[in-house]
Amino acid sequence: MFLDSATWQGRIFVAGAWSPGGGGTIDVTEPATGSVLGQAGLADAADLGRAAESAAAAQREWAATPHPRRAAVLRRAAQLWTEHAEEITWWNVREVGAVPAMAGFAVHVAEQECYEAASLPSRSYGELLPSEEPRLSMARRMPVGVVGVISPFNVPIILGIRSVAPALALGNAVILKPDPRTAVTGGVTIARVLEEAGLPPGVFQMLPGGSDVGEAMVTHPLVRVISFTGSTAAGRRVGELAGRHLKRAHLELGGNSALIVLDDADVDQAANLAAFGTFFHQGQICMTTGRHLVHERVYDDFVERLATKAANLPVGDPASQEVALGPLIDAGQRDRIHRVVTASVDAGAKLAAGGTYDGLFYPATVLSEVTPDVPAFTEEIFGPVAPVARFSGMEEAVRLATATEYGLSLGIVTRDVMKGLALADRIPTGIVHINDQTVSDEANSPFGGIGASGTGARFGGASANIDAFTETRWVTMRGEPPTYPF
């Protein structure tokens, strides 16, 4: 088996070898059943230091590798995602709690991320510049050296590989710290793919660990760029620490994205979009539709249809049943979601569907009569909860949509596409979808948010990836040295 536990059980991946980590082990737990699927290795700060030394040593030779060979490794990695899709999807369903559609989509995006990355080594890595001196002047893109990637539990394959693949393709070494809760799907899988693809030893390291390992990564002098995906609170700490150590941090953080339904929208279509945008993957996606802003003319119909749809979405173990919603990742996430729901009802919102739970299974939940002062409107819920607020005109829609510190994604539903685009121009976000919900991802498209959602479009597409994982060096050359006055 590609992910044979004899290879990775209780181990981390450092210097091209699977070895025990200084942090011991952690159970790999299936959230749907509580079953233990194995034990993942845990790293400590000392392991991080060892990985950084190994990565820095290996990176120099990797950066000097001819570009066709680097591209070939990424192409082979892309093929491996497809060849082992069934096994990887199994782990994604069992360990993450993803429904099969979500698990399969993650594998597809990982394949595409590697193919997109494979095009980077042969791209132009500089430009000629005019100079007032008799010399050749150019700006040249250089690998940064060692890139540290910190990825979360919710979509661990995509949120790891979208930084790992382009960083490697551009001649860097990478240290990946996946969330220990999804260490196999988000860490072991990527390590095995790159190992089998022929990546030289030491160029990639994989160390599941806690905040101590993350802090060691951010502060280590050999790690020059940090790519972090996770909560806004954690991202602020990463950004502050990186700033103190004078290194770049690319931060993709939380969201509270709005879906605006205008008065000319088809309500059935809008409810379908809304349900997918909020309930897909149990709402555990940064782009999840967190606020539904609906024109008062269609508000009641929208709430009724969304609540009916929510009440009929099956919830259960995605490994053994055909369900729309699987389990939440753990009890901590469940309790936080339920706290927001109950506090919102206490503050005046009405429960139109859901609102209870069984173990880690939280059904699709709809809250109506939501106002800007209730927790479900102001907080990122990160669960299958659809808060629905009403508006009476475009000015109020803009005011409600911008009444948040986040700025990740935006959806607008209208029969008048140009009116939708004009409305979008008044609401600052990193992503906009007209006549679609807020969740979407393609490997060749820029991705990122503003405000509390992060530091902009730092992933996706050649330009964003080159900006993220290279430095710009000014180089000049003369035929003869100049003569200076002293």
Side-chain angles (χ1 to χ4, degrees):
M1 295 176 65
F2 183 66
L3 297 176
D4 184 358
S5 61
T7 299
W8 57 264
Q9 184 97 252
R11 296 178 176 90
I12 61 176
F13 189 68
V14 176
W18 295 93
S19 59
T25 63
I26 186 174
D27 286 343
V28 179
T29 303
E30 182 178 31
T33 65
S35 299
V36 174
L37 304 175
Q39 284 78 38
L42 286 178
D44 60 12
D47 292 320
L48 189 284
R50 183 163 59 97
E53 295 284 348
S54 171
Q59 184 270 331
R60 290 185 285 273
E61 184 174 350
W62 173 244
T65 300
H67 69 84
R69 288 175 55 192
R70 277 188 279 134
V73 170
L74 272 300
R75 284 195 299 271
R76 179 58 184 147
Q79 293 166 356
L80 286 166
W81 288 109
T82 301
E83 291 175 13
H84 299 284
E86 183 176 354
E87 187 178 357
I88 295 169
T89 297
W90 184 92
W91 273 101
N92 205 343
V93 171
R94 300 293 298 276
E95 183 187 33
V96 182
V99 298
M102 177 61 178
F105 174 72
V107 174
H108 166 72
V109 171
E111 174 202 33
Q112 293 304 307
E113 289 284 358
C114 289
Y115 276 129
E116 286 292 323
S119 72
L120 295 176
S122 60
R123 287 183 179 267
S124 172
Y125 57 86
E127 59 181 335
L128 294 177
L129 305 172
S131 177
E132 60 187 48
E133 299 290 331
R135 61 189 178 187
L136 182 65
S137 178
M138 68 185 79
R140 188 179 180 190
R141 289 286 190 171
M142 307 292 293
V144 300
V146 180
V147 174
V149 179
I150 302 175
S151 61
F153 74 85
N154 57 319
V155 193
I157 291 176
I158 295 176
L159 301 183
I161 197 66
R162 74 176 178 192
S163 293
V164 169
L168 290 174
L170 291 164
N172 301 289
V174 173
I175 302 173
L176 170 65
K177 190 195 86 64
D179 190 303
R181 288 172 290 184
T182 52
V184 178
T185 307
V188 172
T189 298
I190 294 174
R192 288 288 296 122
V193 164
L194 294 173
E195 186 181 25
E196 289 296 308
L199 189 70
V203 179
F204 175 79
Q205 329 269 336
M206 190 279 296
L207 295 83
S211 59
D212 60 326
V213 179
E215 181 172 345
M217 178 187 290
V218 177
T219 59
H220 199 287
L222 291 177
V223 180
R224 296 308 311 152
V225 166
I226 299 295
S227 178
F228 172 87
T229 304
S231 72
T232 297
R236 291 185 195 278
R237 295 193 294 272
V238 169
E240 290 168 2
L241 194 58
R244 287 203 297 273
H245 289 265
L246 301 178
K247 58 182 68 177
R248 281 188 285 155
H250 305 308
L251 307 175
E252 200 282 286
L253 310 177
N256 192 4
S257 299
L259 179 71
I260 303 177
V261 180
L262 299 184
D263 59 350
D264 63 347
D266 181 299
V267 178
D268 283 327
Q269 291 177 341
N272 176 261
L273 296 174
F276 187 87
T278 295
F279 305 137
F280 185 53
H281 197 41
Q282 299 79 260
Q284 297 176 126
I285 303 173
C286 58
M287 299 169 283
T288 289
T289 302
R291 295 171 299 149
H292 301 252
L293 311 179
V294 183
H295 193 279
E296 60 186 7
R297 292 180 189 167
V298 296
Y299 182 88
D300 290 339
D301 285 346
F302 177 88
V303 169
E304 179 183 357
R305 295 177 200 195
L306 181 59
T308 299
K309 186 177 290 288
N312 287 283
L313 290 176
V315 184
D317 180 359
S320 61
Q321 306 170 47
E322 188 172 334
V323 297
L325 285 80
L328 299 171
I329 191 66
D330 59 25
Q333 289 293 116
R334 178 204 63 201
D335 293 345
R336 183 188 175 280
I337 292 165
H338 196 58
R339 176 190 62 77
V340 173
V341 171
T342 56
S344 298
V345 172
D346 290 343
K350 295 182 179 180
L351 192 63
T356 61
Y357 62 84
D358 179 11
L360 297 184
F361 298 105
Y362 207 100
T365 297
V366 178
L367 295 172
S368 65
E369 306 304 330
V370 170
T371 56
D373 56 348
V374 305
F377 188 95
T378 59
E379 297 185 30
E380 180 186 27
I381 303 173
F382 218 65
V385 180
V388 190
R390 71 176 77 227
F391 67 88
S392 59
M394 298 293 271
E395 293 301 323
E396 187 177 12
V398 171
R399 179 175 61 80
L400 291 174
T402 56
T404 178
E405 63 176 343
Y406 298 101
L408 183 51
S409 189
L410 171 68
I412 298 174
V413 187
T414 176
R415 297 179 192 273
D416 187 340
V417 175
M418 298 309 295
K419 181 169 68 173
L421 185 60
L423 176 60
D425 287 344
R426 302 175 62 187
I427 302 168
T429 59
I431 302 166
V432 175
H433 300 295
I434 308 296
N435 284 327
D436 205 347
Q437 44 76 42
T438 56
V439 179
S440 188
D441 196 3
E442 294 188 13
N444 66 325
S445 300
F447 185 96
I450 60 177
S453 291
T455 52
R458 303 296 186 184
F459 309 98
S463 296
N465 286 330
I466 291 171
D467 285 344
F469 302 119
T470 64
E471 304 282 8
T472 302
R473 170 183 285 178
W474 183 32
V475 180
T476 70
M477 294 182 289
R478 292 176 181 259
E480 293 290 336
T483 299
Y484 292 101
F486 58 87

